[in-house]
Amino acid sequence: MNENLFTPFSAPTILNQPATIPIILFPTLLILTPKHPINNRLATIQQNLTRFTLKQMMMTHNAKGQTWSLMLTSLITFTATTNLLGLMPYSFTPTTQLSMNLAMAIPLWAGTVMVGLRFKTKNSLAHLLPQGTPTPLIPMLVAIETISLLIQPVALAVRLTANITAGHLLMHLIGNTVLALSTTNLSMALLASTLLVLLTILEIAVALIQAYVFTLLISLYLRNNT
Amino acid sequence: MPQLDTSTWFTTIMTMLPTLYLIMQLKLLNTNHHQPPLTKTPTLQSHNVRWQPKWTKTCLPLSQPQQF
């Protein structure tokens, strides 16, 4: 039972060659880069979406933080398209792989911490102690804040992995339920299929929201450190 | 859990790094955000003639009397 449930999340192979390589590269093909001043509707929609998310995200940063805008825009575009493409049946979602999320989260988080430590050392170290703590509690609180700082990249990676994996698992399970019930008890099957429709809508929202949250948190860590 | 099978971790990470940091960023850089044409009103030519025509005769070359 365990083996069958989790097989959609194992890295796919075609004739023993890793198929993860074209699957991860595929979302880049969907970003259009036309050279004309006036484009067709799809390219204009994409362009407007990119401009809108860029403006929303980078409005709250100062000039130093805005040098990260290309990185954060590419991050949110990559994560959102990868999550949305994974909602298609029988597809493989790379963001369910803990390896990829760790490799995304750790360098970006480390980058924000190093930017803070290098340019505003006192301020970034001062974040380790909340204001107004009574003096005897200071050593313990510094330890606690350090641990909460060090756990940020792991939390980022595991949050994205677990949310997308759990959503896909739920859809698999409820889909199998509907299929199994369709022969015996049709009304329950219809009830479960409405549940499936609602769950799919939720998954679309979750796909977008997870991308947003990932990027937002990194930009938050950046703001604290610039 | 197949996500913890570390044999595929190298391939996945090595594919993701150029995709995210290279290809995606190049694609986003190459999207041109053209401004719609004719948004700025062109500055009108300012007729600011510094010299007065009564005390200099060199403003128009053809207005000088011909000298042989």
Side-chain angles (χ1 to χ4, degrees), chain A residues 11-223:
Chain A
T13 57
I14 297 180
L15 305 171
N16 255 345
Q17 302 306 311
T20 49
I21 299 181
I23 291 177
I24 294 181
L25 286 171
F26 180 64
T28 60
L29 288 176
L30 299 174
I31 313 286
L32 306 170
T33 60
K35 300 283 183 248
H36 324 286
I38 313 280
N39 302 317
N40 58 1
R41 263 181 273 230
L42 188 60
T44 316
I45 290 176
Q46 266 187 14
Q47 230 176 41
N48 288 345
L49 271 177
T50 314
R51 259 205 312 219
F52 174 68
T53 54
L54 176 68
K55 192 164 173 201
Q56 280 288 321
M57 267 195 321
M58 304 322 281
M59 230 170 23
T60 53
H61 289 174
N62 56 2
K64 184 127 186 61
Q66 278 174 1
T67 54
W68 280 59
S69 50
L70 180 62
M71 181 71 237
L72 292 177
T73 316
S74 115
L75 182 69
I76 191 173
T77 316
F78 178 68
T79 322
T81 44
T82 311
N83 288 346
L84 283 173
L85 282 173
L87 289 174
M88 289 196 297
Y90 294 111
S91 63
F92 171 68
T93 320
T95 40
T96 55
Q97 301 299 305
L98 191 61
S99 53
M100 190 172 104
N101 295 337
L102 275 175
M104 281 202 294
I106 293 183
L108 289 169
W109 165 84
T112 61
V113 166
M114 279 198 256
V115 157
L117 280 179
R118 194 167 155 218
F119 294 109
K120 286 174 122 191
T121 318
K122 262 194 303 187
N123 274 349
S124 74
L125 284 177
H127 275 301
L128 287 177
L129 190 63
Q131 261 184 341
T133 61
T135 323
L137 282 179
I138 288 185
M140 198 179 66
L141 260 171
V142 169
I144 291 179
E145 292 283 333
T146 315
I147 293 177
S148 81
L149 180 74
L150 292 175
I151 215 171
Q152 276 171 355
V154 179
L156 271 175
V158 172
R159 180 186 304 118
L160 187 58
T161 313
N163 270 315
I164 308 290
T165 314
H168 285 333
L169 264 179
L170 263 178
M171 284 208 289
H172 273 288
L173 282 173
I174 295 192
N176 280 340
T177 311
V178 175
L179 203 60
L181 278 179
S182 62
T183 54
T184 52
N185 189 354
L186 195 61
S187 53
M188 291 307 290
L190 284 176
L191 200 68
S193 64
T194 50
L195 196 60
L196 189 60
V197 167
L198 291 175
L199 204 59
T200 312
I201 297 175
L202 175 70
E203 282 312 305
I204 295 176
V206 165
L208 297 171
I209 289 172
Q210 285 303 313
Y212 172 66
V213 164
F214 198 92
T215 316
L216 188 71
L217 282 174
I218 291 193
S219 84
L220 189 72
Y221 303 152
L222 185 66
R223 201 179 315 146

Side-chain angles (χ1 to χ4, degrees), chain B residues 6-25:
Chain B
T6 48
S7 63
T8 53
W9 277 30
F10 184 70
T11 324
T12 322
I13 295 178
M14 282 297 140
T15 321
M16 185 273 297
L17 288 176
T19 310
L20 183 63
Y21 291 103
L22 189 68
I23 301 179
M24 206 55 134
Q25 294 191 5

